[in-house]
Amino acid sequence: MTSNQAGAAIGAQPATAPGAAGAPATDGGQAHHGTLGLVQGTALYIASVLGTGILVLPGLAAAAAGPASIVAVAAVLVLSIPLAGTFAALAARYPDAGGVASYVRRALGATAARMTGYWFYFGVCVGAPVVAILGGEYVVAVLGVDRAAVPIIGFAVFVPPFIANWFGVRVAGWVQFVLTGLLLSVVVGVVAVTFPAVEASNFTPFLPNGWAGVGLAISLFVWAFAGWEVGTHIAGEFKNPRRTIPIATAIAIVVVGLGYLALQFVTVAVLGPRAGEGQVPLLDLVESTAPGIGSVLVAIVAAVVTLGVVNAYLPAFGKLGAALGRDGDLPRWLAKGAADGEVPRRSLALTGVLIVVYFGLMLVNRLDLTGFILIHTSNMVAIYAAGMLAATLLLKRWSLGWWLAVVATVMTAGLLVLAWANLIVPLVLAFAAVLLTLVRRVRRRRAAVRAGRAARADGDAADADGDDADADARVSEPVLTATARQEPR
């Protein structure tokens, strides 16, 4: 970590951070071979955050806090700014396929980085089939199809994103641009169609469940604003990470915030007390103002959202798996594709296998997603905590980025405390990372012992050869002397 170019612009600390000795050279000053521009990158960021939350969260938040749920959405939006800003500063300064794990490696060392990588690759990956099942459930509900079709629809969701990402992030980026454009068009359309039905009376009472209800709504919407870390894994795929990533993040924050705020407003203002009663609030919202077309429209929304989220996360999983292989945290065979511009097909294939396994476990569990969602969110919280702590060590002290990291560290520490009961899987993955470190240390020590023994054996052999040479010299000396005496004078 030697380049200091434009470090102050994003709050980067030029000095080498603790634990950086083994870090890959991923300084932002290096030339990159990415292909993503601002439009594609912004689309990926928006889709990774403005996801399946729009299908269910407006109704759940309205049930928890009533009209004050709008305040909850605004609060989570404000709280997400430090997190998103910190990830943007890190991704722009250190674009690497390892994402958060790379920052943790620089600041906290290889073992902590391995934990972080495992949390995302094996823990967060559980959420991919969850998203597909949620989308399938919504499509089945709004179209009145038999629920037996949910696994089929959910599994089919993965096919287009896998095909797109198999040909590289450039293709996936344009696919994401189209999907995000459709999503935003539908969100704007829903708000425009339902806005004439707004009734002011639905805003009273404003706090039916008190501020405790607002707190519950805030905790629900944390899920909606998660996903800012996804862009860190594909930061090296941007043409100009330093310039593009902060701008894409800022645009995404505004678009996502306005989208969720607008949907929450019309949900409360149009449905009123009915907002939290149904299982498919978006359908209830559209059907109240546009009967007959609501089912088809919402089914399209569910399909587009699900495809968009999966398409945004797959390149992150692919790049991270390749980076873990490159750094020796997974088999070296996976390393192909970690470099900028390369396609991590081997890692994508392994990701597909993991998703199929998790999908099968969900089927065995009769599509009860609660446990899987908790695994996903607990790993996310652990990643955020490690990433924000690393950011406070890597970013230039007292800079804007550093202050954002400090605020985000406090926030994520609070989330970690709240999630303590669900941290079993992150702890198991952390134990696996520590165990690998211990195994490697034992192997290195054994190798050092063997090398020492070999060196001593070579030294003993050299000493023995020297002794033989001395003995030969002592034997040959009197012979030569006697020969000399026998020579005629």
Side-chain angles (χ1 to χ4, degrees), residues 157-435:
V157 163
F158 289 104
V159 177
F162 259 106
I163 293 175
N165 281 277
W166 198 259
F167 291 98
V169 73
R170 183 174 185 177
V171 174
W174 283 116
V175 170
Q176 193 62 62
F177 171 69
V178 174
L179 291 174
T180 303
L182 289 173
L183 173 60
L184 294 178
S185 298
V186 172
V187 170
V188 171
V190 169
V191 173
V193 168
T194 57
F195 191 80
V198 167
E199 295 183 12
S201 60
N202 286 330
F203 287 95
T204 55
F206 189 73
L207 280 168
N209 300 322
W211 289 106
V214 176
L216 177 57
I218 288 175
S219 65
L220 289 169
F221 260 98
V222 167
W223 167 277
F225 284 90
W228 297 110
E229 80 291 340
V230 173
T232 64
H233 297 282
I234 57 172
E237 301 302 320
F238 284 83
K239 294 178 183 177
N240 187 348
R242 285 182 178 273
R243 175 182 178 275
T244 306
I245 290 176
I247 297 176
T249 301
I251 295 173
I253 289 175
V254 174
V255 172
V256 170
L258 290 176
Y260 274 123
L261 282 170
L263 283 175
Q264 195 63 39
F265 175 81
V266 294
T267 299
V268 170
V270 174
L271 297 180
R274 298 183 294 116
E277 294 178 355
Q279 298 296 319
V280 283
L282 196 60
L283 175 61
D284 297 335
L285 180 63
V286 176
E287 282 290 325
S288 65
T289 54
I293 67 169
S295 297
V296 176
L297 181 60
V298 173
I300 293 173
V301 173
V304 170
V305 166
T306 307
L307 285 170
V309 172
V310 173
N311 192 62
Y313 269 85
L314 276 181
F317 290 130
K319 280 294 184 180
L320 174 60
L324 291 173
R326 175 200 65 195
D327 298 333
D329 299 325
L330 287 178
R332 296 281 184 183
W333 178 81
L334 290 172
K336 185 176 178 58
D340 299 343
E342 293 183 357
V343 183
R345 293 190 176 94
R346 295 175 180 178
S347 179
L348 281 172
L350 178 57
T351 301
V353 172
L354 288 173
I355 289 175
V356 170
V357 171
Y358 294 148
F359 204 95
L361 292 175
M362 290 177 190
L363 291 178
V364 172
N365 204 40
R366 298 183 179 181
L367 299 184
D368 183 358
L369 304 180
T370 304
F372 297 96
I373 291 175
L374 291 174
I375 291 173
H376 171 86
T377 54
S378 62
N379 279 276
M380 289 294 297
V381 170
I383 292 168
Y384 285 165
M388 294 305 99
L389 179 59
T392 62
L393 299 175
L394 290 176
L395 299 179
K396 185 178 180 181
R397 186 166 295 183
W398 313 122
S399 67
L400 175 60
W402 183 83
W403 278 113
L404 290 175
V406 170
V407 174
T409 300
V410 175
M411 291 167 44
T412 52
L415 292 175
L416 200 61
V417 172
L418 292 175
W420 70 270
N422 302 312
L423 294 176
I424 296 177
V425 172
L427 288 174
V428 170
L429 293 174
F431 175 77
V434 173
L435 183 62

Side-chain angles (χ1 to χ4, degrees), residues 479-489:
V479 173
L480 292 174
T481 303
T483 304
R485 282 199 295 265
Q486 293 174 2
E487 289 178 355
R489 297 185 179 181

Side-chain angles (χ1 to χ4, degrees), residues 30-60:
Q30 291 182 346
H32 292 275
H33 307 286
T35 57
L36 291 179
L38 180 61
V39 173
Q40 298 163 289
T42 303
L44 284 166
Y45 268 98
I46 291 174
S48 64
V49 182
L50 187 65
T52 53
I54 70 172
L55 301 178
V56 294
L57 287 177
L60 293 176

